[in-house]
Amino acid sequence: MDVLFDVFNQQHEGWLATLEVFGPEVGAQEEAHDLPFEGVSLASSGNEPETIAISLVRSPEDHLNHTIVKPEHVWVEENARLENAALEIESADDTKTLMRFRSPLLLRK
């Protein structure tokens, strides 16, 4: 899955993303709206459960990091132009994290 996330990160770095969480314990919550996407990564070490971390940029000094513990399923949704429109991750506790992409961030020179 690391290779999938590496390619995904290269294709979507800087895109504007909205991050939502849906689950039996938390209901439906929007954690971020139209923030630049920095990356998604898979981590596991020793006896710790596997996690997926999503990073969005609020400002150069402030990043939003969202962690999914014990991910079980990962889906990538494509739009009609076959571009990745969303990333959905379901964890062992039935919580779903949905990250939707609006457009790439245009960098000014």
Side-chain angles (χ1 to χ4, degrees):
M1 195 170 318
D2 282 338
V3 173
L4 168 72
F5 288 153
D6 288 344
V7 171
F8 192 88
N9 291 340
Q10 290 172 359
Q11 292 174 342
H12 297 90
E13 184 178 7
W15 282 47
L16 299 178
T18 296
L19 185 69
E20 300 170 283
V21 178
F22 306 90
E25 300 283 326
V26 298
Q29 297 181 13
E30 184 176 271
E31 287 196 15
H33 184 79
D34 283 350
L35 293 180
F37 173 72
E38 186 172 57
V40 59
S41 61
L42 178 67
S44 60
S45 62
N47 297 332
E48 296 296 316
E50 190 171 74
T51 61
I52 292 177
I54 297 171
S55 182
L56 304 173
V57 180
R58 289 187 175 148
S59 71
E61 300 80 29
D62 187 15
H63 298 252
L64 177 127
N65 294 305
H66 178 80
T67 303
I68 299 109
V69 179
K70 296 183 182 177
E72 295 212 336
H73 303 285
V74 175
W75 295 275
V76 176
E77 179 185 325
E78 294 180 337
N79 62 21
R81 295 183 303 239
L82 300 179
E83 299 168 330
N84 295 335
L87 177 69
E88 183 177 334
I89 303 167
E90 184 176 357
S91 65
D93 67 357
D94 291 328
T95 300
K96 291 183 182 177
T97 300
L98 176 64
M99 184 170 49
R100 291 180 289 113
F101 293 98
R102 187 168 64 87
S103 64
L105 178 67
L106 298 176
L107 299 176
R108 295 181 186 177
K109 293 186 178 190

